[in-house]
Amino acid sequence: MAGKYRRFTLAQGATICVIGLALGALAWQLGVVSTQYPLLLRVLFLLFAWFSFWFFIHGLTHHAVGKMFGIRFQYYFLGRSAIRKLNLPLVSSLMWKVPVFVLKVDRSSLRGASPRRRRWMYASGAVASMGLPWIIVPSSFSLGPNWVGVFFVMLVLGNTLFTLYFSPKTGDLYRAKLVKG
């Protein structure tokens, strides 16, 4: 699968993730602190922050948890979400078009890790992608109109519910569930 997509060394991939998270944090702060910007621009800053916190934390968390547990990786690459395999009319077609940042696991180190550690490594990306975006919700209510805060609650809650429903069927939570032992 990775042969079709752009590969990144582990250092490059981790750096891209860290920069993406830093840009998300900057956008978050610009959206909240910079009151001179119009509301629409501030909402767009928060949307960018939400996307960054959702997208870039995922692979980086797999990488960090895997490293902590002795699981090695070969490289990062831009791939496709496993959710596309569910054959859901709108969702699957969208997931074919949206790239995700993927880590290629070193199978020998994965086999050497305990089942509990493998489960944690697999689940960590989904948990982080559900959890980190919640940090922007309180500040989204400070932008003025309540609809902004409600919008971000719905966005983050929608992401959490989507992940909790679909990931156990084919994603990271599915892989964690498959680990025997």
Side-chain angles (χ1 to χ4, degrees):
M1 178 173 186
K4 296 186 255 179
Y5 302 102
R6 169 81 163 92
R7 288 185 188 189
F8 302 91
T9 67
L10 292 176
Q12 289 170 329
T15 300
I16 290 168
C17 289
V18 168
I19 290 170
L21 288 169
L23 290 173
L26 177 63
W28 177 31
Q29 291 307 301
L30 286 172
V32 175
V33 176
S34 302
T35 56
Q36 74 270 19
Y37 295 128
L39 179 63
L40 178 59
L41 184 57
R42 296 171 73 203
V43 169
L44 290 174
F45 281 139
L46 284 187
L47 271 173
F48 180 81
W50 174 85
F51 174 81
S52 295
F53 295 160
W54 167 76
F55 185 85
F56 292 108
I57 195 65
H58 191 101
L60 193 60
T61 303
H62 283 307
H63 193 168
V65 170
K67 188 172 184 88
M68 187 171 58
F69 290 154
I71 299 169
R72 293 183 307 276
F73 302 93
Q74 296 176 359
Y75 51 84
Y76 281 85
F77 67 97
L78 284 175
R80 299 288 176 237
S81 171
I83 291 171
R84 75 188 188 291
K85 298 175 186 174
L86 292 175
N87 294 323
L88 302 168
L90 181 62
V91 175
S92 294
S93 62
L94 181 63
M95 289 297 116
W96 274 105
K97 294 172 180 61
V98 176
V100 294
F101 223 28
V102 182
L103 271 165
K104 176 69 174 161
V105 177
D106 175 77
R107 294 286 175 195
S108 65
S109 69
L110 187 64
R111 284 189 295 274
S114 72
R116 192 177 104 210
R117 289 178 172 201
R118 284 181 295 192
R119 279 192 287 275
W120 272 108
M121 187 278 297
Y122 281 127
S124 65
V127 170
S129 288
M130 286 186 286
L132 186 59
W134 281 98
I135 68 171
I136 65 171
V137 168
S139 55
S140 69
F141 281 97
S142 72
L143 266 65
N146 280 339
W147 69 263
V148 176
V150 171
F151 170 76
F152 280 97
V153 166
M154 299 305 289
L155 182 65
V156 175
L157 183 61
N159 171 60
T160 301
L161 294 174
F162 182 90
T163 303
L164 287 174
Y165 183 77
F166 288 113
S167 188
K169 296 181 183 310
T170 187
D172 288 338
L173 298 179
Y174 175 74
R175 285 182 200 84
K177 195 168 57 172
L178 286 180
V179 173
K180 302 286 188 237

